[in-house]
Every structure is written in structure tokens, then in C-alpha cells.
Amino acid sequence: MDDLIDEPAAGGNAHEYTVSEISGAVKRTLEDQFGRIRVRGEIGRVSRPASGHLYFDMKDDRALIASVCWKGQVARLVQMPEEGMEVIATGRITTFAGQSKYQLIVDQIEPAGAGALMAMLDKRRRMLEAEGLFAAGRKKPLPFLPDVIGVITSPSGAVIRDILHRLRDRFPSRVVIWPVAVQGAKCAPEVTAAIRGFNALPATGGPVPRPDLLIVARGGGSLEDLWGFNEEIVVRAAADSAIPLISAVGHETDTTLIDYAADLRAPTPTAAAELAVPVRLDLAQRLDELAARMLRGMRIRVDQPRQRLRDLARAMGRPQTLTEPARQRLDLWAERLEPALRSFVARRRDILNSRPVRPALLTGYLSNRRQAVRALAARLRPATDRRIERRQDQFQSLATRLHPAFRRNLDDLTRHARRDAERLAGLTARLSAAGARITPPRQQTLDRLDRLRRTLGYPETLKRGFAVVHGPKGLITSAEVAAKTPRMEIEFADGRTAVTPVTPEPKPASAPRKPPPGQGSLF
């Protein structure tokens, strides 16, 4: 029978807890003891599943705490955790009953000092440099005169005003602004989207013109303020940009990773505008100098062949010089021939008169002389013609050699002049288009300022029923001065009217008050 009686279990009076009760008690104890704490440690095993929550470990050399950051809070983190990074996490301690462990619910993450940030920045820089994103061979040359400039910056800061002001002073250009956040959690994704968005624009025919040059600009700040421009997505977007990009982030002493990936780094946003466009007045002066040089060159290219032709012509001689001596000799002999013939005839007549001469003999003699003269003339004409033909052949040969050379020089001169004229016409067209583009905004600004001037001027106030009183010494602003001024003018909206102030007559002194009748003196 004793074997059938159960013995009471040891500790039977102790309270029996359920698993949920124990888990809830532990949870309340931890949350009461550690309401909101800051934990410093090294990040390890970062995981971000499709749910959007962020899971990671915080550890030191002896312990590890599982940490979680919910999806809504991840978007507001200033600094995303990376493995190996030393941070200070702010949050609260709680438990996860499903796995019987405690964990840290993180609300905010900040690097553990500038040393940790610089170490992480240097690690990221070396990693991207090893990939070749900072290589000099990837840098693209900037356009000499961009037609459209894309500016990625905050639309409300002083940076955009400085850039626009400097562009107006140097060379007014069309500017397309892509507004972004320049610090905080939204900085990196918005800057990345702006760079890739500008590159995705169509080259022609789109509603928004595709820029020829990009400027990423921000004013100075601390390392934490500029951290968005050190993010890997921003650096990769800048390196992949097909449009030349100028980085103007911070002041001259500030350096971010986008400066290494950009095609050119500017020390300040204002310097970026100076690097983007040249000075219009300098270009106009340079254009005038080139036009003057072109005209001088054209004159030289024309004058030199012309002078060379004159020199060759002088060296070659004139065809007339070849025949003039022969013609002169012919004239000389012709002048001497007639007296000689007369003398000869006279002598022969004397001989014939002195002795009888047979007519037949005289006729034969004259015939022989006439034939001799004809023979001499026949011999003289072919020799002269041959000399003239020989000189003409020499002249024709020199002219044949000279004509192609002159034609070649003239063709080269014409070609250079046409090319320079086309270049000058292109520059003139671009300059005219720039003037036509900047004139309407300037006219609108002038009209707006003129309307403001008319609104703030006192003539508009006069139209509302007010008047201005003028005296000999200027404006009269008090009744006392007006009473002492003998003559004044009142200005209305439609003109002035001269007036003379009227002095009011003095009021008569009141008579002494008489005592009421019937009341005598009391004394």
C-alpha cells in the first residue's frame, strides 16, 4: 500500500511560470533598466533583407550585441553602417522572445569621432582608386564655350546666386538647375539621380536641353556635412558621366571623393563658374585681333604674287624692245637712202651730161641697182622676222610657266580666305545668337525695375490724393514753418499751384465777468 502513495514533489509550493511570463519579465526588466542608451562599438555582419530593415552586430574585443534598425528609421540615418566601422549607436535595449536573446533597437548612428570617419574615407578612396575611377585617362576635356550648363546644387543657397552672378559677368550662358539636398541622408541619392538624369537627357529635340557641362556645387562645411559627396554611389555616378563634370564642393581646403572622380576640381563654386566659361570681352578682343591678322595675311598673299609677277615681267623685258632697234636702224637708213639716191642720180646725170651715154646702158644699170635693193630688203625682212619670232617664243614660254604658278597661289589664297570667312561667319552667328538670347531677360529685368521705381516714387503717391508743399528753401513739412513762409507752392499729381498763407485774425479778448446782480459784498 505504501508503494501506491505518491510522495509530494520537492519545492511543490514554488510558483510555476510559463515561458511567456519569464520572457515578458526579462523584457520589462531590461527596458526599465536601459531606457535609452548610447553604445560604442565596431560594426560587424551587416545585413539588409528585402523587408528594408537593417540588421547588424555591435562588438568589441569581449562581447557582441545584436542590433536592428527598422525600415522607417533607416531612411533617416545620416551615416549608413559599414562592416569594420566604429560608431556610437543610440537606441534602447529589448528582447526577442522568438530566439530568446536581447538586442539593441537603433534610432541613430554616428561615427565615433573624426578619426573613424577619416579611416573609413581613406579605405573607400583606396578601394575606388584601385578600380581605376580616379585615373587621369578617364578625365574628359571641358568644352571651350558650353551652350548649356547644368548646375546640381541647392536652389535656395548662396552658391547658386554666386554661380549665376559670375556667369553673367563673364559670358552669359543658359543654365539648367537640378535642385538637390546638399547634406543629410537625401544628399547622396539625389545628387546621384541628378548626374544620371542629366546624362539621360536626349542630345537634341528634348523638352529640356542636354547640358554641355555639369557643375556639382556646395558651400563649405564640416566633414559630416560634406559626407554625402563621399558616398560610393555619388563617386561612381560622377565617374560614369559622359558629360564633363566640375566638382565645386566646399572650400579650397575641403576634399571629397567626388573631387577625385570629377573631370576638374574647382576650389570654390565661384571658381567653377570661372572655369566653365571664358570672358566675353576677351573673346571679342581676340576675335578682332584674328580678323586683323587674317586681313593682313590676305593682303600679303595677294601682294607678294603681284610683286613677284612685276619682278618677272621686268626681268623678261617687253617684246617692243626687240624690234625697236631694228625699226630705228630702218628709219635711219631710210632717211639716208633718199639723199644718197638723189646724190647718186645727180652724179650719174652729170656723167651722162658730160659724155654721151647710151640709154640702154643706163636702163640696165638702174635695173641692177633696183634688184640689189630688193635683194637687200628680202634678206633683211626674214632675219628681223626670225628674231621677233624667237623673242615671242621666249616670252610665251615664260608666260606659260608664270600662269600656273600665279593660279596656284591665287587658288591657295582664295581657299584660305574662304575658310577664314566661314570661321568668322560661324563665330559671328554664335555671337549674334548669344546677344539675342540674353537681350530679352535683360529687357524684362529693366522693365520690372522701372515699374518698381514708378511704384515707389512719390508721383504715384500724389495720384492717391496727397500733396507736396514747396517753399523757397525746400520742402515744408510743418505748420510752423508754413506760417512763417510768405509764399509757397503746392504740388499735386497734375501740376503745382502757388499759394499765400492767410494769417488768422486774433480773437477779441473776453470781457471781465460781472458778478450776478443782487449780491453785494460780504464785507
Side-chain angles (χ1 to χ4, degrees):
M1 293 292 295
D2 295 334
D3 296 336
L4 299 177
I5 299 174
D6 294 332
E7 294 290 332
N13 293 330
H15 180 71
E16 297 178 353
Y17 293 96
T18 62
V19 175
S20 298
E21 289 175 345
I22 291 294
S23 177
V26 172
K27 180 181 180 70
R28 287 189 297 272
T29 301
L30 284 176
E31 291 181 351
D32 292 342
Q33 184 67 28
F34 303 97
R36 184 170 178 82
I37 58 174
R38 289 165 55 88
V39 181
R40 180 168 182 161
E42 181 182 342
I43 298 293
R45 194 188 61 81
V46 180
S47 173
R48 189 169 184 178
S51 62
H53 306 315
L54 185 63
Y55 299 94
F56 58 94
D57 294 336
M58 292 193 64
K59 60 183 180 179
D60 57 15
D61 55 345
R62 290 178 295 178
L64 180 147
I65 298 178
S67 305
V68 59
C69 185
W70 304 124
K71 177 181 179 180
Q73 193 63 34
V74 170
R76 292 191 289 270
L77 289 180
V78 177
Q79 180 64 50
M80 296 298 294
E82 297 182 8
E83 188 170 353
M85 177 180 174
E86 186 177 5
V87 299
I88 298 176
T90 304
R92 55 189 177 84
I93 290 289
T94 186
T95 61
F96 178 48
Q99 294 184 358
S100 187
K101 68 176 184 180
Y102 68 94
Q103 60 187 7
L104 177 64
I105 305 299
V106 177
D107 298 331
Q108 182 181 353
I109 295 177
E110 57 186 84
L117 276 179
M118 295 303 297
M120 184 180 65
L121 182 62
D122 184 67
K123 177 182 177 182
R124 184 177 296 171
R125 182 188 61 79
R126 285 187 278 106
M127 179 192 69
L128 297 175
E129 185 177 10
E131 295 183 16
L133 298 184
F134 305 154
R138 297 175 61 95
K139 309 294 184 182
K140 295 174 287 298
L142 302 184
F144 174 70
L145 192 60
D147 187 30
V148 181
I149 301 175
V151 180
I152 302 173
T153 187
S154 172
S156 59
V159 171
I160 186 62
R161 293 195 296 271
D162 294 341
I163 292 177
L164 295 177
H165 177 71
R166 187 50 57 94
L167 289 177
R168 278 196 303 269
D169 290 344
R170 292 176 65 84
F171 199 103
S173 305
R174 189 173 183 181
V175 179
V176 179
I177 302 174
W178 193 303
V180 297
V182 292
Q183 72 180 58
K186 295 182 179 180
C187 174
E190 289 187 2
V191 173
T192 303
I195 296 175
R196 298 193 184 279
F198 272 131
N199 281 270
L201 291 175
T204 57
V208 178
R210 189 172 190 263
D212 303 317
L213 178 67
L214 297 182
I215 299 178
V216 180
R218 187 206 187 280
S222 63
L223 180 62
E224 291 78 5
D225 294 338
L226 303 178
W227 190 258
F229 298 93
N230 292 319
E231 294 293 344
E232 183 176 349
I233 56 174
V234 175
V235 177
R236 293 189 182 278
D240 296 338
S241 175
I243 304 174
L245 187 143
I246 298 178
S247 172
V249 178
H251 296 306
E252 189 170 1
T253 56
D254 299 325
T255 302
T256 56
L257 294 184
I258 193 176
D259 296 335
Y260 296 100
D263 298 303
L264 184 65
R265 177 185 181 267
T268 61
T270 304
E274 295 177 355
L275 295 172
V277 294
V279 181
R280 180 177 56 182
L281 296 179
D282 293 346
L283 289 181
Q285 182 178 0
R286 179 61 175 167
L287 186 62
D288 294 340
E289 293 176 357
L290 292 177
R293 290 180 58 186
M294 183 181 68
L295 292 177
R296 288 196 300 269
M298 292 175 62
R299 292 194 186 99
I300 292 174
R301 294 297 295 272
V302 172
D303 293 341
Q304 284 182 348
R306 183 180 297 165
Q307 184 64 34
R308 179 61 176 168
L309 181 61
R310 292 196 188 100
D311 296 341
L312 291 175
R314 284 196 298 269
M316 187 171 54
R318 297 181 304 161
Q320 292 83 355
T321 58
L322 302 177
T323 59
E324 284 176 354
R327 186 180 293 114
Q328 186 175 5
R329 285 195 301 270
L330 181 61
D331 294 339
L332 179 63
W333 285 107
E335 292 176 355
R336 297 174 60 183
L337 180 62
E338 184 176 359
L341 288 175
R342 290 181 182 277
S343 176
F344 177 76
V345 171
R347 285 196 307 271
R348 289 300 178 184
R349 185 180 292 115
D350 293 341
I351 293 174
L352 291 175
N353 292 331
S354 62
R355 62 180 182 177
V357 179
R358 291 178 294 179
L361 183 62
L362 180 60
T363 302
Y365 180 78
L366 293 177
S367 176
N368 291 335
R369 290 297 179 180
R370 195 177 291 114
Q371 290 178 358
V373 171
R374 290 195 186 99
L376 182 61
R379 291 174 56 191
L380 182 61
R381 184 177 293 109
T384 304
D385 292 341
R386 284 194 301 272
R387 291 186 65 182
I388 292 175
E389 290 178 357
R390 188 164 55 251
R391 294 296 184 180
Q392 287 179 345
D393 292 339
Q394 293 177 355
F395 177 75
Q396 187 67 28
S397 176
L398 291 176
T400 304
R401 293 171 56 191
L402 179 62
H403 183 72
F406 178 73
R407 176 58 61 183
R408 286 195 302 272
N409 292 336
L410 185 60
D411 292 341
D412 293 341
L413 180 63
T414 304
R415 185 168 57 255
H416 288 296
R418 187 182 299 111
R419 184 183 58 196
D420 295 338
E422 291 175 355
R423 183 180 178 188
L424 180 61
L427 293 176
T428 303
R430 292 179 62 185
L431 187 60
S432 299
R437 186 172 62 252
I438 67 176
T439 300
R442 297 285 178 89
Q443 185 64 39
Q444 293 175 4
T445 303
L446 183 60
D447 294 341
R448 185 171 62 254
L449 292 176
D450 186 61
R451 289 194 300 270
L452 180 61
R453 178 189 63 80
R454 291 197 302 267
T455 302
L456 298 178
Y458 81 96
E460 296 297 327
T461 307
L462 296 179
K463 293 179 182 180
R464 297 198 295 270
F466 293 89
V468 179
V469 182
H470 298 271
K473 297 182 180 181
L475 295 179
I476 299 176
T477 58
S478 65
E480 181 181 357
V481 177
K484 297 177 181 180
T485 303
R487 185 174 179 81
M488 64 188 74
E489 290 183 353
I490 300 179
E491 181 182 359
F492 299 93
D494 56 351
R496 294 189 178 188
T497 301
V499 296
T500 302
V502 178
T503 304
E505 297 180 356
K507 296 181 180 181
S510 59
R513 190 173 182 180
K514 296 180 179 181
Q519 182 177 359
S521 176
L522 298 178
F523 303 100

